[in-house]
Amino acid sequence: MRRPDHPTTTRPTAVNGALPGPESPESPEAREALEADGPWGGGPGAGVPERTAPGAGAPEAGGPDHAVPGPTTAPPLPTDGVTAEAVLAPYLQGQAADFLRSLRLHREHSAPSDAGGQGAEAAARALRRSARRISGSLHTFRTVLDPAWADHLRTELAWLSGTLAREHAYAGRLTRLLDALHQLSGTTLPAARGTKPATKPGTQPATTTAARTAGAPEAQGRAVLGVGAARAGALLERQLTLARTRAHSAALQALGSSRFHAVADAVALLASEVPLAPGTTGRGTEALLEPAERAEQRLLAAVVALPADESAEPYNEAQDAAWHQARLLLRLHRYAHEVVLGAADPVLTGAGHALDLHRDAAEAAAAAAAAARTPRIAPATAYALGVLHADQRHEVEAARAVFRETWPYATAMTAP
C-alpha cells in the first residue's frame, strides 16, 4: 500500500489483466454511484499510517459492530501477536452488522405510513454501501477466505447491490439530463469542436448588416433548441420514469424473494463467524498485505493503460470501458485500504469523485443517444437530444481531465 509521498519509480505491471470487480462492468446500472458514502469519503480520513515493508503489522481489531477504526494519529503497526484473522474478521463482521441494521431500517421505513419514502431510500443506500464493502473485500482477500463461500456470497451481494442501485441510477440520470437541458436551452449553443472565430487578429468585430445576417443561423439554432428541449425533456422523463418504475418493482420483488433471504441469512452468519481458508488461522498480516498490494498494482496498471490525452476521442464511447474499469479497481483498492490500514485513503478522494462524475456523464450521454433513436420523433426533438448528448460527452472529457489533475501518483500517469 503506497502513499503519494512515496513516488512510483517503475511503471506498474499488469497482473494478468484487470480482474473483474465485485460488480459486472457489462451492466452500467450495476455500477451504482457512491452517494451512500458521502462525497467519496467513506470512513475516517485522518492520518494514514506509513509502512515500509510488507508484514509490518495491522491496526488492532475493532468491535463486531464497527469497521476497523483508524486513529487520528496512527502509530506504527504492531509486529507481534496480530493475525490476519484479527484484522479481516472484525471488518467483515462490522460490515455485516451494518448490513443487517440497514435491512431492519429499510423494512421499518417501507411501511405504507412512511409516505415520503426518504427513510427507505437512506436505508437502501446504507444497505448497498455495506454490500459493496463486503463483496469487494471477499474479492480482494479471497486467498485468505474459504474460496467457495467467498465466491458465492460475493456473487449474491453483487446481484443485490446492482438490483437496488438501478432505481437510484435512473432517477439521478433523469435529474442530470433535465438540468442540462434547462441550462442548454437558456444559453448560447456550444460551438462546434475545432472551429475558430471568424474575426481575424487585428480587426474589429463586424457590425454590418451582413454580419448580423451571418449570426442568424445561431439565433435560429437557439430557437429550435428551445422548442425541442421541452419535447426532449418530456421524452426522457417518460422513458427514464418507466425504467425507474420497473427497477423499483424489480427491487421490491428481489427483497421479497427466497434468494434475498438466503443472502440475508449468509450475512447474518458472517456477522458471527468468518470462514477462513485452510491453514490461514494464525497467519500474520502479510497474508492481507499481499492481496492488498496486488489490488493496488492492478489499479496502477489500469490507470497507466488509460488512453492518453492526445488520442482521446470524446465521442468514442468505446474508450469509456477502460475508465469504468479503473473506477471499479479504485473502489477495490479503497476497500482494501480500509481493511489493512483502518481508513480510506484521503488522497484518492478527488480522483474517485472524478471517476464517479465520468461514469454519470457517460451513462447520461448514452441515455440521450438512446432517446434520439426513438422512431418518429420531431426534428427539433432530435436536435435537442443531439445537443444534449454532445454536452454530456464534453462532461465526460472534463471529468477525465479532473482525474488526471487529481491523481496523486504522477509518475504512474506519465510512465513510458
Side-chain angles (χ1 to χ4, degrees):
M1 309 289 285
R2 184 182 297 103
R3 296 194 58 190
D5 51 352
H6 297 169
T8 304
T9 57
T10 60
R11 177 175 179 172
T13 302
V15 182
N16 297 325
L19 297 180
E23 297 153 10
S24 172
E26 285 79 13
S27 174
E29 289 81 4
R31 300 189 304 267
E32 74 276 12
L34 292 171
E35 288 82 359
D37 305 87
W40 239 87
V48 179
E50 295 188 9
R51 184 176 62 258
T52 58
E60 295 184 357
D65 294 336
H66 300 280
V68 181
T72 303
T73 302
L77 301 178
T79 58
D80 298 327
V82 179
T83 63
E85 180 182 6
V87 175
L88 180 59
Y91 179 85
L92 290 176
Q93 290 170 342
Q95 296 301 327
D98 290 343
F99 180 97
L100 298 174
R101 202 159 28 241
S102 302
L103 178 59
R104 184 182 68 251
L105 292 175
H106 186 274
R107 288 171 176 170
E108 292 176 356
H109 291 289
S110 297
S113 57
D114 188 5
Q118 298 296 325
E121 288 186 16
R125 286 196 298 270
L127 194 67
R128 297 200 319 269
R129 178 182 185 274
S130 300
R132 288 196 305 268
R133 278 164 169 74
I134 297 173
S135 180
S137 299
L138 295 181
H139 174 81
T140 300
F141 302 105
R142 180 179 181 274
T143 57
V144 184
L145 303 165
D146 182 341
W149 168 83
D151 290 344
H152 176 72
L153 182 56
R154 181 171 66 89
T155 301
E156 296 303 288
L157 287 173
W159 160 76
L160 175 63
S161 180
T163 302
L164 296 180
R166 292 189 184 102
E167 180 183 1
H168 172 80
Y170 285 126
R173 202 169 303 159
L174 177 60
T175 300
R176 180 186 185 93
L177 289 171
L178 292 182
D179 289 345
L181 267 178
H182 176 73
Q183 294 177 4
L184 289 171
S185 61
T187 58
T188 304
L189 289 177
R193 300 183 65 82
T195 58
K196 297 182 179 180
T199 304
K200 296 181 179 179
T203 60
Q204 296 295 326
T207 57
T208 62
T209 303
R212 289 193 298 270
T213 304
E218 181 179 351
Q220 183 180 3
R222 286 198 300 269
V224 173
L225 180 60
V227 173
R231 296 178 181 176
L235 177 61
L236 288 169
E237 188 164 8
R238 287 196 304 271
Q239 292 182 346
L240 293 178
T241 300
L242 176 61
R244 180 186 181 185
T245 301
R246 290 174 176 172
H248 179 73
S249 300
L252 292 179
Q253 184 178 3
L255 291 174
S257 65
S258 58
R259 183 178 181 181
F260 169 74
H261 288 295
V263 175
D265 291 342
V267 174
L269 292 176
L270 174 62
S272 59
E273 180 182 2
V274 178
L276 300 175
T280 302
T281 303
R283 290 185 59 186
T285 53
E286 69 277 359
L288 299 180
L289 297 179
E290 293 175 1
E293 291 285 355
R294 287 196 297 269
E296 183 181 48
Q297 288 302 314
R298 287 196 296 268
L299 168 62
L300 295 177
V303 172
V304 170
L306 291 174
D309 291 337
E310 295 77 12
S311 62
E313 301 178 13
Y315 295 99
N316 184 1
E317 285 80 0
Q319 294 184 346
D320 293 345
W323 290 87
H324 295 329
Q325 182 69 8
R327 176 178 174 271
L328 291 177
L329 292 174
L330 179 57
R331 173 182 290 179
L332 288 177
H333 169 65
R334 176 191 179 197
Y335 297 161
H337 200 284
E338 289 181 1
V339 172
V340 175
L341 298 182
D345 192 349
V347 302
L348 293 175
T349 299
H353 183 62
L355 290 179
D356 287 343
L357 293 178
H358 177 276
R359 188 277 314 268
D360 293 343
E363 294 185 352
R373 291 191 291 268
T374 303
R376 298 184 297 278
I377 61 175
T381 305
Y383 175 73
L385 290 171
V387 173
L388 180 61
H389 174 267
D391 173 75
Q392 292 303 301
R393 293 307 303 182
H394 280 274
E395 293 294 325
V396 167
E397 189 177 17
R400 293 176 181 178
V402 172
F403 172 79
R404 295 186 184 279
E405 292 174 359
T406 56
W407 180 247
Y409 306 121
T411 306
M413 293 290 293
T414 59

